[in-house]
Amino acid sequence: MSSPEELGALAVRLGYALDPTQVKDMAEAVAAAEPAAAALRDLPVRPETADPFRGETWLRGPVSADCPAGGTSPSRPPVTSENVLDGLGVLDLGGTEGLRESAARLRSAGPAGERVAAALAGLERVHAELNCTIRFLHERAAERAAASDDRVAPRLLEGVPFAVKDVIDVEGVPTTAASRTRADAAPAAASATVVARLEAHGAIPISKDATTEFAVGGPHPPLTGPCRNPWDRERWAGGSSTGTAAAVAAGAVPFGLGTDVGGSVRLPAAWCGLTGLKPTAGAIPRTGVVPLSWTTETVGPLARDARTVALLFALLRGPDGVDPRMPDVPLRPPADLRGLRIALPGGYLTELCDGAVRAGVAHLAEVLVDAGAEIVPGEIPSAERALPIGYEIVFTEAAALHRIDAARWGEYDPVTVKRISQGIATPASDYLRALQFRAELQDELERVFGGADLIVVPTTPATAPRLPDGTVTVDGERYPLYAAQSRATMLGNLTGAPGLALPTGFAPDGCPVSALLIAPPHGEATALRAAQLFQDRTDHHTRTAPISA
């Protein structure tokens, strides 16, 4: 079924009120996706993966005694004591004290009022160049800064300013998701869990940041226009956590919060020279986040360095009693960095990849080997199927979520409509087969992790895309953005495995390149410690972008 007439009739039966142009766009999107869907249908079903929801069991891993597999997670409200770091020293080479030192470094720049005012002034200068901010939180931030300065005993992140992607709620502030349909949204009644947890430790949100529409649209959201890259303003900062990455890379704030459905924390981190974490699915609550895809979506932090990301992960992780994704699961102990086993898959993951990006991956591996790691075999035969199948799941779930607003799709970004239109025409059998493939891909990763502690691949095949067309350049040849950008990152969203992007150098065009560390579920500690070691021996993450606060 791919003719406009057939798809238009289907849309009506499903309750979508689309105009003729949207039906035509939907037909084109479905026709473009049909080869991937046909290939998926032709895959044989293995009896052991016949249950498409078996993929959740891989994510549960070792569980705590008070929260057995399949059990209910106890509520964990925001914690105000530094005891939250106890037992999480595995995230840092310096142990728990290392995390506390990272926190002290972030808050050591004087009174909170001065820091917040300086951050807002710097962000306004950066926004004038990059278009990275949807809303400045002047009054709210000033009130909280004054309260911070009145405290006798500082909390871990007392008075530290941070940025928030505008799909994440901040109490008293509208969340627009960069959509004209939400331009007049009412203020959020409560902050998202991730914002509330950081605020409980004294951090202060100062902005709601630019994003692609609903975190799924194109680089040119109709409400705000594109967010530019601080390394080259003729390039895109990346999607969809684009404004957050630009604000952090420009030095306006030390860290920010983004979301990741197909790479939307790790891609802008790569293109802006940052360290960005997509955690294990369910490790960080999504409560208070505008939903897009309940199967693939995560919240994650962006910062310059892995130690700051480790600190943020320590503060953000754990169930909140609301997000139902999974019970509390302890971190895996990190692998010994002397003897760390690294797999470097090739094939699809490196075929369409610029030489500078490949050199950055090799540089990371060389530094880790010099520190005692070893390279071991490890391939992912089905990697090339992950991107189209992952998007089939994302777009189907997005279509279900956005059905309620179908009458307003005429106000949506046309890219948003085209992408979620694919989901309208996805048969239930295709969606369920995609979930079965998820479990099969998890099995492939499990076999690799049987002999390796980390998988290292390029985060994205090229440096930041050029505006306005969004093309990327690989070894001198231009390619469409969506043919290249998420080739590796979707592996983590589809399977739920954590991934950490970190800068590994610069290309001849002056823009950052990046590598992606993929770990087993709840193996963030190993990825973070490997990244910390690399950053202790290199300075790529310390370089200042040409456009800075």
Side-chain angles (χ1 to χ4, degrees):
M1 179 185 296
S2 59
S3 74
E5 292 77 14
E6 291 174 311
L7 289 168
L10 173 64
V12 170
R13 289 200 304 274
L14 294 176
Y16 295 89
L18 307 184
D19 63 34
T21 299
Q22 291 169 334
V23 172
K24 180 177 180 293
D25 288 344
M26 180 173 73
E28 292 175 354
V30 170
E34 179 57 28
L40 174 66
R41 296 182 202 117
D42 290 341
L43 285 177
V45 178
R46 300 207 316 263
E48 64 271 24
T49 61
D51 179 357
F53 297 101
R54 193 180 68 83
E56 287 296 314
T57 63
W58 191 63
L59 297 176
R60 297 185 185 277
V63 295
S64 58
D66 60 345
C67 189
T72 301
S73 302
S75 176
R76 178 195 168 206
V79 182
T80 58
S81 166
E82 290 196 11
N83 290 336
V84 70
L85 300 182
D86 290 347
L88 294 179
V90 294
L91 291 171
D92 191 280
L93 291 172
T96 301
E97 288 309 310
L99 294 178
R100 290 193 172 93
E101 290 170 7
S102 295
R105 171 173 50 82
L106 289 171
R107 65 172 190 266
S108 65
E114 293 179 6
R115 280 179 284 166
V116 165
L120 280 164
L123 186 59
E124 287 180 330
R125 291 193 297 271
V126 167
H127 172 68
E129 293 278 348
L130 303 179
N131 191 36
C132 60
T133 307
I134 290 178
R135 190 181 302 271
F136 296 93
L137 309 184
H138 286 282
E139 292 184 9
R140 189 182 192 280
E143 290 173 0
R144 279 153 179 76
S148 282
D149 284 332
D150 287 340
R151 290 184 66 91
V152 175
R155 295 166 290 183
L156 277 170
L157 296 176
E158 197 68 66
V160 179
F162 70 100
V164 181
K165 179 179 180 178
D166 198 24
V167 296
I168 302 172
D169 285 347
V170 174
E171 182 183 10
V173 181
T175 299
T176 72
S179 177
R180 289 181 296 203
T181 64
R182 294 178 63 111
D184 57 353
S191 289
T193 297
V194 287
V195 173
R197 286 183 174 174
L198 294 181
E199 288 190 302
H201 291 285
I204 299 173
I206 67 167
S207 64
K208 298 298 291 293
D209 309 324
T211 175
T212 59
E213 186 180 46
F214 294 113
V216 72
H220 302 271
L223 181 67
T224 61
C227 175
R228 298 180 180 274
N229 194 301
W231 291 94
D232 179 351
R233 66 182 311 275
E234 300 306 314
R235 297 173 186 251
W236 191 33
S240 60
S241 305
T242 174
T244 305
V248 176
V253 288
F255 60 83
L257 293 174
T259 62
D260 194 309
V261 166
S264 295
V265 163
R266 293 158 294 163
L267 295 174
W271 289 329
C272 292
L274 300 177
T275 306
L277 175 67
K278 185 213 83 73
T280 305
I284 294 177
R286 300 167 297 178
T287 307
V289 177
V290 176
L292 176 63
S293 168
W294 51 82
T295 302
T296 66
E297 190 164 38
T298 62
V299 179
L302 297 104
R304 283 188 177 274
D305 63 277
R307 278 191 166 83
T308 300
V309 169
L311 170 66
L312 297 171
F313 181 57
L315 302 181
L316 295 171
R317 69 181 299 275
D320 65 352
V322 181
D323 187 336
R325 183 76 194 257
M326 61 187 303
D328 197 8
V329 178
L331 289 169
R332 289 178 183 239
D336 189 335
L337 295 183
R338 295 198 62 83
L340 181 76
R341 301 167 301 168
I342 302 170
L344 300 171
Y348 171 81
L349 295 171
T350 56
E351 283 170 359
L352 182 65
C353 191
D354 189 78
V357 177
R358 293 195 304 271
V361 173
H363 172 43
L364 170 64
E366 181 182 4
V367 170
L368 294 179
V369 168
D370 186 61
E374 62 175 317
I375 305 300
V376 297
E379 297 295 334
I380 308 171
S382 297
E384 64 182 306
R385 296 192 177 99
L387 183 58
I389 293 175
Y391 274 139
E392 184 158 21
I393 291 173
V394 170
F395 298 157
T396 301
E397 294 176 353
L401 286 165
H402 283 270
R403 178 176 176 174
I404 192 172
D405 288 328
R408 300 191 69 181
W409 280 15
E411 300 172 66
Y412 277 22
D413 175 0
V415 176
T416 305
V417 176
K418 283 187 176 182
R419 301 187 95 186
I420 63 179
S421 288
Q422 294 178 35
I424 296 176
T426 299
S429 58
D430 284 5
Y431 175 73
L432 292 173
R433 181 64 186 95
L435 292 179
Q436 290 172 330
F437 174 78
R438 173 190 179 212
E440 294 165 12
L441 185 61
Q442 289 171 338
D443 286 346
E444 288 189 14
L445 289 184
E446 187 67 25
R447 285 192 288 273
V448 177
F449 287 130
D453 302 300
L454 287 176
I455 296 170
V456 179
V457 293
T459 305
T460 190
T463 55
R466 294 189 177 277
L467 293 169
D469 61 355
T471 56
V472 295
T473 302
V474 177
D475 291 333
E477 293 189 34
R478 288 199 175 189
Y479 293 87
L481 170 63
Y482 296 120
Q485 67 168 5
S486 301
R487 291 166 75 90
T489 53
M490 185 60 85
L491 286 171
N493 298 96
L494 186 53
T495 63
L500 181 71
L502 72 159
T504 54
F506 292 82
D509 60 17
C511 292
V513 294
S514 174
L516 180 65
L517 307 181
I518 303 173
H522 311 288
E524 287 90 346
T526 296
L528 286 163
R529 291 188 68 185
Q532 290 162 24
L533 186 147
F534 176 74
Q535 291 177 347
D536 284 346
R537 299 186 179 203
T538 61
D539 66 353
H540 311 303
H541 63 292
T542 67
R543 299 274 292 274
T544 302
I547 298 173
S548 297

